[in-house]
């Protein structure tokens, strides 16, 4: 089966196909899956799909509570930042911000609205190492909400703590599994695009991006397959 798959990929050049005057109406990922289905049997949807959550957290965090949505984990984040602040003065400033509000638009957009709570994840883990070139937030560099709090602290009190917390927290990828039938077609399309790109020795592209959103619900610890800390970032 892999050789048959490679034969189909080798017969295609999506760049040339979509540069032609008779380019397909379908998006490239959908077109690629349709071509595979025409040449081979249509890939069957697996029972489960693995997703990858990128973050930066304390070393040794085993996520025993699962992956919590922002609304549930935010009090823990505030406690962590306050407890590990580099001075008592900064700790008091953070306590004041937690109580009285953060001078940052992004924080105030996300914190009260469950639409932004996730937890979020990607299908292709390689995205984590190419976030800038793919116009994605660098979650391994810093969780968005921690960056928002740091920006608010700098705005209101002039303290710059991004580097302090970046040094304290370590990059981590959490792999978990989810029912594939919740996200069927687009996961197959993205998986095909990923395999095609690897076969063609192309770097990560936007065609590799599809995301999971837990919609403000906890991803249980039993769904977590692995927690991997990275040492080179």
């Amino acid at each position: 089966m892999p050789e048959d798959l490679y034969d189909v990929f080798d017969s295609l050049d999506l760049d040339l196909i979509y540069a032609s005057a008779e380019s397909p109406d379908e998006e490239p990922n959908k077109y690629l899956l349709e071509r595979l289905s025409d040449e081979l049997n249509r890939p069957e949807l697996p029972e489960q799909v693995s997703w990858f959550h990128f973050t930066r957290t304390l070393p040794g965090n085993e996520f025993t509570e699962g992956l919590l949505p922002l609304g549930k984990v935010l009090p823990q984040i505030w406690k962590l930042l306050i407890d590990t602040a580099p001075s008592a003065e900064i700790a008091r400033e953070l306590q004041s911000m937690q109580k009285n509000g953060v001078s940052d638009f992004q924080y105030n957009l996300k914190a009260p609205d469950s639409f932004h709570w996730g937890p979020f994840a990607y299908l292709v883990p390689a995205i984590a190492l190419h976030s800038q070139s793919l116009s994605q937030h660098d979650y391994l560099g810093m969780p968005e909400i921690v960056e928002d709090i740091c920006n608010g602290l700098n705005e209101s009190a002039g303290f710059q703590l991004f580097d302090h917390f970046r040094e304290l927290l370590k990059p981590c990828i959490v792999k978990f599994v989810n029912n594939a039938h919740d996200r069927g077609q687009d996961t197959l399309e993205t998986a095909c695009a990923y395999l095609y790109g690897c076969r063609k020795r192309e770097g990560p592209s936007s065609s590799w991006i599809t995301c999971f959103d837990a919609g403000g619900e906890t991803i249980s610890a039993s769904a977590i397959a692995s927690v991997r800390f990275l040492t080179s970032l």
Side-chain angles (χ1 to χ4, degrees), residues 65 77 177:
E65 296 181 86
I77 292 174
V177 294

Side-chain angles (χ1 to χ4, degrees), residues 115-132:
F115 178 80
H116 299 282
W117 287 2
F120 302 102
Y122 290 88
L123 183 67
V124 178
I127 299 300
L129 303 179
H130 300 273
S131 56
Q132 185 173 4

Side-chain angles (χ1 to χ4, degrees), residues 2-16:
E3 291 303 322
D4 293 338
L5 189 67
Y6 296 156
D7 287 343
V8 177
F9 288 156
D10 291 344
S11 71
L12 297 173
D13 187 324
L14 291 181
D15 289 337
L16 289 178

Side-chain angles (χ1 to χ4, degrees), residues 65-228:
E65 296 181 86
L67 283 170
L68 302 180
L70 180 61
K72 290 184 179 180
V73 77
L74 191 54
Q76 297 179 23
I77 292 174
W78 275 111
K79 184 178 187 306
L80 168 65
L81 300 183
I82 292 167
D83 289 349
T84 58
S87 71
E89 180 185 8
I90 293 175
R92 288 192 295 271
E93 188 66 34
L94 286 167
Q95 288 173 324
S96 176
M97 286 173 55
Q98 182 183 14
K99 179 180 179 181
N100 300 314
V102 179
S103 298
D104 182 79
F105 172 81
Q106 291 295 331
Y107 179 92
N108 294 313
L109 176 71
K110 300 164 193 167
D113 188 350
S114 61
F115 178 80
H116 299 282
W117 287 2
F120 302 102
Y122 290 88
L123 183 67
V124 178
I127 299 300
L129 303 179
H130 300 273
S131 56
Q132 185 173 4
S133 64
L134 297 174
S135 301
Q136 302 294 297
H137 179 79
D138 181 12
Y139 295 100
L140 295 180
M142 188 67 77
E144 281 184 308
I145 202 68
V146 176
E147 185 173 321
D148 298 338
I149 292 172
C150 288
N151 290 338
L153 181 65
N154 185 35
E155 175 68 24
S156 62
F159 296 116
Q160 298 183 12
L161 290 189
F162 185 92
D163 289 342
H164 169 77
F165 289 123
R166 181 178 168 85
E167 180 64 26
L168 178 74
L169 306 175
K170 303 305 177 186
C172 175
I173 298 179
V174 182
K175 176 183 176 181
F176 64 91
V177 294
N178 181 259
N179 188 330
H181 292 281
D182 293 341
R183 292 285 302 278
Q185 180 75 10
D186 66 330
T187 56
L188 282 178
E189 291 174 0
T190 304
C192 288
Y194 169 70
L195 293 172
Y196 173 86
C198 291
R199 178 62 177 174
K200 297 291 189 177
R201 300 185 183 278
E202 298 175 350
S205 71
S206 59
S207 66
W208 294 14
I209 298 175
T210 193
C211 299
F212 174 90
D213 180 358
E217 300 294 328
T218 298
I219 296 168
S220 69
S222 63
I224 293 177
S226 66
V227 177
R228 179 189 174 197

